[in-house]
Amino acid sequence: MTVAVPSGVVSSVVASPVLAHGGDHVAPAQAWGAQTIVPVVLAVALVAAYVAATARYGRRMPRPWRAGRTLAWTTGCALVAVALSPALAVVPGDATRHMVQHLLLGMLAPLALVLAAPVTLLLGAGSPGVRRVVGRVLRARPVHVLSHPVTAAALHVGGLAVLYLTPLYALTTRSAPAHVLVHAHFLLAGYLFAWALAGPDPAPRRPGTATRLVVLVAAGGAHAALAKLLYAHADRLPPGGVHAAADVEAAAQWMYYVGDVAEVLLAVAVLAAWYRAHDTRDVAGARLTAAPPTAAPVAT
């Protein structure tokens, strides 16, 4: 199937055999040039900018930036680069390859990027003007709505449901811009979902841990149900798809099992954040208890 691709840098990414649908694709050796270079260059640039920001943070703050967060950012950028490069051509089956790509972009990479706490880094390394802008964005009412776990979960899981239960999937096989927009939605919605539930970055009006865990369980159940529906009706889902039923069944299995792994990792991140918050409060309380009482003034 021929995919109309816009010219320029975007075309080298969109034209990748991994990003194109419609039939099984094998990346020819000559296709690995620009299609591999563009995602790698973008990932390296993002990692370099992050590392530079950590250096500024270290000069301004009493404690250096955590190396684990830098590792998380590097991992997230690497996962995005892999998802957008021909590397996934080794995965057999076009539908399966497409599903692996969505799992990387929508679940695994966003969690790693969120755990890197980029907003906290920006607040610590940025100029006063940058901090004021970030503060205004975080206080904006639309951000309050979007960052609520229920809204984020609806965007995250709802995007998958729309893709696989409506003609949108078939549209992405014919339209490169639609395909790129779907990928952008998965990455942004996945990031928003992970941030709302477990991000170390500040989030406006984030509900308690119990509420976030309930939302995570509900979203995980919806994700699993969608995977089972896709498996049970692999002969006619997604609507307008051209894949063999066995390929769609394999894609549904990836969605079910890897989705479970990603959700367990997200639950661990939620509980780890809860533990750190309580541990910090306990330490602060212990210090207050252990502090010697202020001596009363002696009457003269």
Side-chain angles (χ1 to χ4, degrees):
M1 178 178 292
T2 302
V3 180
V5 179
S7 60
V9 175
V10 176
S11 65
S12 62
V13 179
V14 177
S16 167
V18 177
L19 299 187
H21 297 257
D24 292 333
H25 301 278
V26 178
Q30 63 270 23
W32 279 68
Q35 295 162 8
T36 304
I37 291 173
V38 172
V40 170
V41 168
L42 290 175
V44 170
L46 288 172
V47 172
Y50 188 95
V51 171
T54 63
R56 290 195 297 272
Y57 182 95
R59 290 192 296 267
R60 295 181 178 184
M61 298 296 175
R63 290 186 298 178
W65 190 252
R66 298 178 189 174
R69 290 180 173 178
T70 302
L71 178 61
W73 182 261
T74 303
T75 301
C77 290
L79 291 175
V80 172
V82 169
L84 298 179
S85 75
L88 290 188
V90 299
V91 179
D94 198 52
T96 304
R97 189 180 309 119
H98 182 254
M99 182 62 73
V100 172
Q101 187 180 45
H102 283 176
L103 290 168
L104 290 174
L105 287 175
M107 302 190 80
L108 298 177
L111 177 57
L113 295 174
V114 162
L115 293 179
V119 176
T120 301
L121 178 60
L122 187 60
L123 289 171
S127 64
V130 170
R131 292 195 293 269
R132 284 194 295 270
V133 171
V134 173
R136 284 197 295 268
V137 171
L138 292 176
R139 291 191 297 270
R141 192 170 189 83
V143 175
H144 290 187
V145 176
L146 290 174
S147 64
H148 193 279
V150 173
T151 308
L155 291 171
H156 177 59
V157 182
L160 279 171
V162 171
L163 179 65
Y164 290 112
L165 301 181
T166 74
L168 177 60
Y169 186 94
L171 175 62
T172 63
T173 67
R174 303 187 300 268
S175 170
H179 200 181
V180 171
L181 288 174
V182 166
H183 287 158
H185 169 82
F186 281 133
L187 182 60
L188 294 175
Y191 186 95
L192 182 66
F193 184 59
W195 174 46
L197 265 64
D201 281 329
R205 301 180 184 177
R206 178 179 282 154
T209 301
T211 300
R212 284 180 279 147
L213 287 175
V214 168
V215 172
L216 177 58
V217 170
H223 190 270
L226 180 59
K228 291 180 179 179
L229 183 65
L230 192 62
Y231 185 91
H233 301 284
D235 56 334
R236 55 181 182 273
L237 288 179
V242 293
H243 310 302
D247 189 14
V248 177
E249 289 176 350
Q253 290 176 322
W254 274 87
M255 182 180 181
Y256 185 87
Y257 292 111
V258 179
D260 279 352
V261 171
E263 285 148 10
V264 168
L265 293 175
L266 189 52
V268 170
V270 173
L271 293 174
W274 170 83
Y275 176 80
R276 285 194 301 270
H278 279 259
D279 186 57
T280 301
R281 285 195 288 268
D282 290 344
V283 170
R287 287 176 178 172
L288 289 174
T289 303
T294 302
V298 178
T300 59

